[in-house]
Amino acid sequence: MLDHGAAPPATEPPPLKAQGLATRLMRRKPVEQLVSEGGQGEGGTLRRSLSMWQLTMISIGATLGTGIFVVLGEATPLAGPAVAISFVIAGLTALFSALSYAELAGSIPVSGSSYSYSYATMGELVAWICGWCLVLEYGVSVAAVAVGWGEYLDELLAGTIGVTIPEAVAAPLGEGGFINLPALVVVLLAMVFLMGGAKESARVNTIMVVVKIVTLLLFIGIGFLGIKAGNYAPLAPLGVTGISAAAATLFFSYIGFDAASTAGEEARNPKRDLPRAIMLSLLIVTVLYCLVALVAVGAMPWENFEGTEAALAQIMKDVTGQSFWGVVLAAGAVVAIASVVFAVLYGQTRILFAMSRDGLVPKVFARVNPRTGAPRANTVIVSLFCGVLAAFVPLGELANATSIGTLFAFALVNVAVVILRHKRPEMNRTFRVMLFPLTPILGFGFCAYMMWSLPPATWMVFGGWMAAGLVFYFVYGLRRSRLASAEK
């Protein structure tokens, strides 16, 4: 006899409760549940092995690199010598959001970063939108960074063995080639290292971060000798509009300071160390960016930056009159940009890990290898996706698309701080945003302004990306959400 009261087969998602759609979309995941599930995956758990120093290096590794080595060549023609001001504006935007990130990371120390913060404060639909933006921020920025890596690799090969990479395999479609093979290679190399586990990956990342900081300090020292005062005039040839446009592009340079928050379930003392790592990394990166930008535009006329993605190496050669220093800079840049690929790829896998654990994306992304404590399948899938983007999509489009996704996610983090302070004032917070609520309001406002400054084409790409994400959520995530299953 057919039992009409039997539960549906295990392979099918459970039916949703008979409640309004709006209620289901707004369901929030309790903070305590988020924290208690920390590290738990399919078949294994993430290991808590990262110190505050390693967390800081992850954030610096994810941030310091492409913005100054590559995107500087795109932003300087927009702002002229005032590009240093554009860096400051982009840095201030990042700072306000970093303060909000620091408070939430100390309160909700989990791998999902702003996705998890949104889930706890604004509900499942907003969390999904935020998570989808983070895929754009982390996953696509890996591809954008990898594209620039090939430029410096070519410079290094030319300066050492006199060989250049054929254009057909060194540039994507639309930029004179068929495939950016070096970009694909660096993503796959990062994948191999990440599959070894968080602790081993952190060691590799720290070495690479030290190398690139030393490289930039070397550039500042040598480039300073070539500064010509006349190169700073006129300061803003394209006016305030140019400065704003450059700042919106350069915000891409600050993407990654929040990477430490994605390591919340692998940190030894996340409540104490995550806020410190986020703020310290942003401080170090901002100071280095502004110093390098000031030296660069002082040593080379701003008009000469047009179309030059390896500008710093060129400046080193021009100032010294020797190709040796350009080769040294190119070698440092190769390591620096590789470390960004490495650290950002790490962040993306951990965000998808958290989303998978919540049932919003397939559970393969939460599968943990019991021997290494790393989500290996997740790492392979994400790396292949990013590698294909890096091989076939031009850098400029990738950078702008990444910026708008990041700004949207950052705006949500500022809102989440306000909501959590209102709803859970008694919660233990190891870091508190100063001048509350003014600071998160300013953070939200800066993000909105930066988004408004991006070109219409970027908004069209963003709109298409969000539409695809919403389709996926309503077809897949809404019914398979583990929070929905628990509410049966």
Side-chain angles (χ1 to χ4, degrees):
M1 180 176 178
L2 182 64
D3 181 6
H4 294 284
T11 55
E12 294 293 326
L16 295 172
K17 283 188 68 175
Q19 54 180 306
L21 177 62
T23 302
R24 299 201 300 271
L25 298 180
M26 294 296 291
R27 56 192 169 215
R28 295 190 296 271
K29 191 170 185 179
V31 172
E32 291 75 14
Q33 184 179 347
L34 280 167
V35 176
S36 67
E37 291 178 355
Q40 299 176 20
E42 297 284 338
T45 59
L46 302 178
R47 297 173 183 171
R48 293 196 177 275
S49 59
L50 302 179
S51 65
M52 194 273 284
W53 170 253
Q54 290 172 318
L55 292 169
T56 303
M57 291 297 102
I58 287 174
S59 284
I60 295 176
T63 311
L64 185 61
T66 307
I68 202 67
F69 284 107
V70 179
V71 182
L72 178 64
E74 295 189 358
T76 302
L78 297 175
V83 68
I85 298 175
S86 299
F87 266 115
V88 172
I89 294 173
L92 283 174
T93 303
L95 173 62
F96 287 119
S97 295
L99 291 168
S100 294
Y101 261 103
E103 176 168 324
L104 292 174
S107 307
I108 313 174
V110 293
S111 291
S113 186
S114 50
Y115 155 76
S116 295
Y117 309 152
S118 298
Y119 212 162
T121 56
M122 288 174 274
E124 186 171 283
L125 178 61
V126 177
W128 167 261
I129 292 172
C130 185
W132 194 243
C133 286
L134 290 175
V135 172
L136 194 61
E137 173 189 350
Y138 281 87
V140 180
S141 68
V142 167
V145 171
V147 170
W149 185 78
E151 293 287 332
Y152 278 96
L153 178 63
D154 201 40
E155 190 83 16
L156 178 61
L157 292 175
T160 53
I161 60 177
V163 174
T164 57
I165 304 171
E167 190 174 13
V169 295
L173 292 169
E175 293 192 349
F178 298 101
I179 181 174
N180 192 324
L181 189 58
L184 176 60
V185 169
V186 73
V187 173
L188 296 181
L189 286 174
M191 176 190 75
V192 172
F193 281 113
L194 284 171
M195 290 175 70
K199 186 175 182 179
E200 292 72 16
S201 299
R203 289 172 180 166
V204 174
N205 176 70
T206 298
I207 293 171
M208 291 193 291
V209 169
V210 171
V211 169
K212 67 181 173 182
I213 289 176
V214 171
T215 301
L216 288 175
L217 291 176
L218 179 65
F219 170 82
I220 292 168
I222 293 177
F224 182 80
L225 301 175
I227 289 178
K228 297 179 179 65
N231 287 341
Y232 292 113
L235 180 62
L238 301 176
V240 175
T241 302
I243 294 174
S244 297
T249 298
L250 287 171
F251 186 78
F252 174 80
S253 310
Y254 290 92
I255 293 172
F257 74 80
D258 57 320
S261 67
T262 67
E265 295 171 26
E266 292 164 285
R268 293 174 189 166
N269 190 342
K271 284 183 172 289
R272 182 197 67 187
D273 293 342
L274 289 178
R276 294 180 182 180
I278 290 170
M279 299 309 300
L280 181 59
S281 63
L282 183 61
L283 174 63
I284 292 171
V285 167
T286 303
V287 170
L288 282 172
Y289 276 166
C290 291
L291 287 175
V292 171
L294 284 169
V295 169
V297 295
M300 186 167 81
W302 68 273
E303 300 93 340
N304 294 354
F305 282 81
E306 184 75 41
T308 305
E309 291 185 345
L312 300 191
Q314 184 62 47
I315 291 171
M316 291 279 272
K317 287 192 292 187
D318 292 345
V319 170
T320 63
Q322 300 176 14
S323 60
F324 169 77
W325 291 108
V327 171
V328 171
L329 195 286
V334 166
V335 175
I337 298 174
S339 75
V340 177
V341 173
F342 186 84
V344 175
L345 193 61
Y346 166 85
Q348 175 65 93
T349 59
R350 271 47 181 184
I351 289 166
L352 285 172
F353 174 87
M355 296 177 72
S356 175
R357 185 171 55 203
D358 292 333
L360 301 185
V361 297
K363 63 182 180 180
V364 65
F365 290 100
R367 192 175 299 155
V368 176
N369 183 282
R371 184 178 63 83
T372 63
R376 285 192 159 188
N378 181 342
T379 302
V380 171
I381 295 170
V382 171
S383 299
L384 292 177
F385 170 75
C386 295
V388 170
L389 284 180
F392 296 106
V393 182
L395 172 64
E397 295 303 319
L398 287 173
N400 285 338
T402 302
S403 291
I404 197 168
T406 304
L407 286 164
F408 191 86
F410 283 9
L412 290 179
V413 168
N414 286 291
V415 173
V417 167
V418 176
I419 293 175
L420 198 61
R421 283 278 195 106
H422 175 70
K423 291 185 175 294
R424 298 290 302 274
E426 82 291 347
M427 181 181 291
N428 178 39
R429 293 170 171 84
T430 56
F431 180 92
R432 284 179 173 268
V433 170
M434 57 199 73
L435 300 177
F436 181 87
L438 178 61
T439 299
I441 290 174
L442 286 174
F444 179 88
F446 267 99
C447 289
Y449 173 73
M450 286 289 191
M451 291 179 71
W452 177 79
S453 298
L454 290 167
T458 302
W459 277 95
M460 292 179 64
V461 171
F462 181 65
W465 177 262
M466 295 310 302
L470 289 173
V471 169
F472 186 93
Y473 172 72
F474 283 105
V475 170
Y476 183 93
L478 181 62
R479 291 183 59 81
R480 287 170 170 79
S481 165
R482 292 189 177 178
L483 200 58
S485 300
E487 291 176 351
K488 280 189 62 183

